[in-house]
């Protein structure tokens, strides 16, 4: 996401499958982190956020990539088993069943779908 003083944001840095609609969310997250990092550098001479930009963005990119892959496999494999075979078909159906029977699974799915990360620090709005 960064090479020297070149910083990439959004689809220029990562492409995700459209399942789960994560592309725009990630692009906005990247842009927000980058804007805050530039602000800190310009206002306070602090380049910490610029130096950690890639690491911070890629953590979320890989998490969303994994979720999109999981959702794609689950939805596609839960249908007709001719494409994936009976074993993967039953695994996918078990995943879907869990979403309808487990409050914890529903909560985790909702957090991943919405792009919430309980471990992530929420920055103060820009302008404050």
């Amino acid at each position: 996401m960064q090479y020297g003083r070149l910083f990439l944001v959004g689809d220029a840095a990562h492409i995700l499958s459209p399942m789960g609609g994560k592309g725009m969310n990630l692009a906005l997250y990247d842009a927000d982190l980058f804007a805050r990092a530039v602000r800190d550098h310009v206002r306070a001479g602090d380049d910490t956020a610029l130096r950690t930009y890639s690491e911070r963005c890629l953590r979320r990119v890989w998490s969303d990539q994994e979720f999109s892959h999981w959702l794609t496999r689950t939805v596609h494999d839960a249908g007709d088993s001719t494409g994936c075979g009976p074993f993967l078909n039953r695994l996918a159906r078990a995943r879907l069943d869990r979403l309808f029977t487990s409050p914890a699974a529903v909560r985790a799915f909702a957090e991943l779908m919405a792009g919430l990360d309980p471990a992530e620090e929420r920055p103060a709005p820009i302008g404050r």
Side-chain angles (χ1 to χ4, degrees), residues 78-111:
D80 184 5
S81 68
T82 56
C84 65
F87 178 76
L88 293 178
N89 179 254
R90 296 295 293 216
L91 287 178
R93 287 182 175 271
R95 285 186 216 120
L96 287 176
D97 288 345
R98 187 177 308 118
L99 286 176
F100 289 100
T101 60
S102 167
V106 169
R107 191 169 33 262
F109 180 85
E111 287 177 356

Side-chain angles (χ1 to χ4, degrees), residues 10-105:
D11 286 354
H14 48 74
I15 299 293
L16 280 112
S17 68
M19 190 62 114
K22 298 295 182 190
M24 184 179 70
N25 294 347
L26 282 174
L28 292 172
Y29 179 79
D30 294 353
D32 183 58
L33 278 183
F34 185 67
R36 291 170 192 281
V38 170
R39 177 201 58 196
D40 293 349
H41 178 70
V42 170
R43 286 188 183 170
D46 182 2
D47 68 344
T48 305
L50 283 174
R51 284 186 285 106
T52 60
Y53 170 75
S54 290
E55 177 185 334
R56 293 168 64 205
C57 286
L58 287 173
R59 180 178 173 275
R60 188 177 194 116
V61 168
W62 282 111
S63 177
D64 284 1
Q65 183 69 51
E66 189 282 328
F67 174 74
S68 291
H69 180 266
W70 175 88
L71 186 57
T72 300
R73 291 283 29 108
T74 298
V75 170
H76 289 278
D77 291 351
D80 184 5
S81 68
T82 56
C84 65
F87 178 76
L88 293 178
N89 179 254
R90 296 295 293 216
L91 287 178
R93 287 182 175 271
R95 285 186 216 120
L96 287 176
D97 288 345
R98 187 177 308 118
L99 286 176
F100 289 100
T101 60
S102 167

Side-chain angles (χ1 to χ4, degrees), residues 111-127:
E111 287 177 356
L112 290 165
M113 189 68 181
L116 301 178
D117 184 350
E120 187 173 288
E121 181 180 324
R122 301 284 189 260
I126 288 182

